[in-house]
Amino acid sequence: MDKLALTAEELLSTTRAVRHRLDFDRPVDPAVLRRCVELALQAPTGRNRQGWHFVVVTDPDRRAELARLWRLGLGRGDTPMSLDDQRRAWREGGSMDKVWSGLRHLAENLHRAPALVVPCVEGRTDGLGADRQAGRWGSLLPAVWSFMLAARLHGLGTVWTTGNMPVEREVAALLGIPHESVMQAAVIPVAHTVGTDFRPAARVPVDEVLHWDRW
């Protein structure tokens, strides 16, 4: 399997949320997807439960229906931030315009992604406290990030999306996920990227978010 020649720091600092630069016309080798999941399973997990699951959807008809449900879920989700809120949120000359443009592009083309990955975790935490929530999600999210890093290493782009969550039951029915005992976390489109020259993103200064000993 071909891999990009990236150092560990380059991999960590250039794995971006890719929307506009997903190549929807180039197929993805199932063996590469399998390898990315294998690497993801090396992530730490609470009490070594390993209750994670990755539903990889490549069938065109099922992808199309999942994308339809995802778009339906977007309409049921939170109201997008106003332009004023966006400007306040990006103080260092950044802009949310590209993010919303990417979301629109994704909504129009999600069904074309060669693979849609739905990461899940055993055990529902609906209505439980922050301690139980943190433990359960902490047993899944490191593995999902490892999957996304592995995808980047193999020249693939990904982006975490949650349009499935307002329609989680419908997605569960489509994919045969046992909704009563398994939670979904996202729908992650996976595709080769148009070019591989991603750069570190603009971020707030580290001293604004780094706290020593106390807030």
Side-chain angles (χ1 to χ4, degrees), residues 19 25 30 37 51 58-59 76 82 84 98 103 112 119 122 131 142-144 173 176 182 195 197:
R19 301 176 181 87
D25 297 317
V37 173
T58 58
D59 175 77
R76 296 184 189 175
S82 69
D84 286 343
K98 187 175 181 180
L103 180 60
R112 298 177 57 206
E122 296 174 7
D131 56 336
V144 179
V182 173
D197 55 333

Side-chain angles (χ1 to χ4, degrees), residues 92 203-210:
E92 295 299 317
R203 291 291 188 252
V204 297
V206 66
D207 287 332
E208 289 191 16
V209 298
L210 175 61

Side-chain angles (χ1 to χ4, degrees), residues 51 53 120-124 168 172 177-184:
H53 294 267
C120 306
V121 64
E122 296 174 7
R124 301 201 64 85
E168 189 186 5
I177 298 169
H179 179 268
E180 299 307 317
S181 59
V182 173
M183 290 191 301
Q184 301 166 41

